[in-house]
Amino acid sequence: MKRMLFIVNPKSGKNQIKPYLCDIIDLYVSNGYEVTVHTTQCQKDAYNVVRERGSSYDMIVCSGGDGTLDEVGAGLLELEDAPALGYIPAGTTNDFARSLGIDPSPMQAAKTAIDGVPFACDLGKFNGTPFIYVAAFGAFTQVSYTTSQEAKNILGHAAYVIEGIKSLGSLKGYHVHCEYGDDKCLDDEFIYGMVTNSISVGGFKSVSGKIMELNDGLLEVLLIKMPKNLMELQVIGANLLIQNIDERYMYLIKTDRITISSDEEIAWTLDGEDGGSWQTADIVNLRQAIRIVRPKEAVENELEDKEEKLKAASVVKIEEKVEVAISESAAADDEKFE
């Protein structure tokens, strides 16, 4: 009989997992699993349980929000031969579950954990600390951990929006120096910086979601410049809403590593939790670091999208070659007549 460790955060979201627990456990037992249930008792409890006991199980399933998933993922990184991870999203925004295509329904997500496809997924590491999908600083980043758990449970996603609106009046710019890629660097003043591996952040689709791949070994970095006036702030907000990169006010970078430094300490969040204040942040991609079970159709759709992108890129290259050939031919004809 296969052994499963089922980690549950009973305080996540609106206690939405509670009515389904017996049915979920019955589903796993009826599919041949010997299930050990562990309810988290405090912060870092999920991390410690996975790190200390995870290798003795054939599979781990966790139910909770992004913070619970973050702890379990960090614990899996400590294991030499880590089992696959099933995820039942039960938090307020469940950003990474959206990116993975996992159904928000607890029972459907529970089924995906045992009949889905293990997917080798990238993680990030921030000054040595693992994170699942996002490290960020600046505007709005304090919204998650300054919003009380009670407000999250009662108001749901609206709680984040309310806190976000409150923070608009206190925008602060940070002058930072960034180094990435092959000796590339930039200096500017930014109100927001995000290093991510997720299509959804804060319950909203990320601007970089259009180019996002969850296992390519690259981080997507979005940096938003300090607006000079209210008009520029409105333009930035409008572009974010339609997922458009306006190069006048934003940088979008794909890299496997970036160092962001400043003369002052900057407060960061990791997966929506307080990540501390740092003058220098060294952020790296951990390519295909853990295996998370996804719905088969999500993986198939992603492969189809990738094939379409490759075909489109090939067509563009062919068109460019044709244009060059025509231009060269025209130039040669002009020389003949001269």
Side-chain angles (χ1 to χ4, degrees), residues 46-84:
Y47 163 74
N48 289 324
V49 168
V50 172
R51 180 173 59 87
E52 294 166 8
R53 296 161 52 190
S55 57
S56 60
Y57 291 89
D58 300 294
M59 184 173 194
I60 296 175
V61 176
C62 77
S63 174
D66 295 326
T68 306
L69 180 63
D70 182 78
E71 287 192 23
V72 172
L76 288 170
L77 287 176
E78 301 283 340
L79 305 181
E80 202 166 302
D81 186 19

Side-chain angles (χ1 to χ4, degrees), residues 126 134-142 145 172-178 188-195 221-224 258 260-262 265-270 276 278 281 283:
F126 176 95
V134 63
F137 72 86
F140 312 121
T141 54
Q142 293 190 1
Y145 62 84
K172 173 180 167 58
Y174 300 90
H175 192 275
V176 302
H177 173 75
C178 303
D188 215 323
E189 187 178 14
F190 301 104
I191 58 167
Y192 180 73
M194 176 178 73
V195 183
V221 183
L222 174 67
L223 297 164
I224 301 176
I258 186 167
I260 299 175
S261 56
S262 174
E265 287 193 342
I266 297 176
W268 285 79
T269 62
L270 304 179
W278 305 82
I283 308 169

Side-chain angles (χ1 to χ4, degrees), residues 41 54 62 86 120 200:
Q41 303 299 305
C62 77
S200 172

Side-chain angles (χ1 to χ4, degrees), residues 253-265:
I253 301 162
K254 292 195 74 161
T255 181
D256 63 344
R257 182 177 197 134
I258 186 167
T259 299
I260 299 175
S261 56
S262 174
D263 290 335
E264 62 178 309
E265 287 193 342

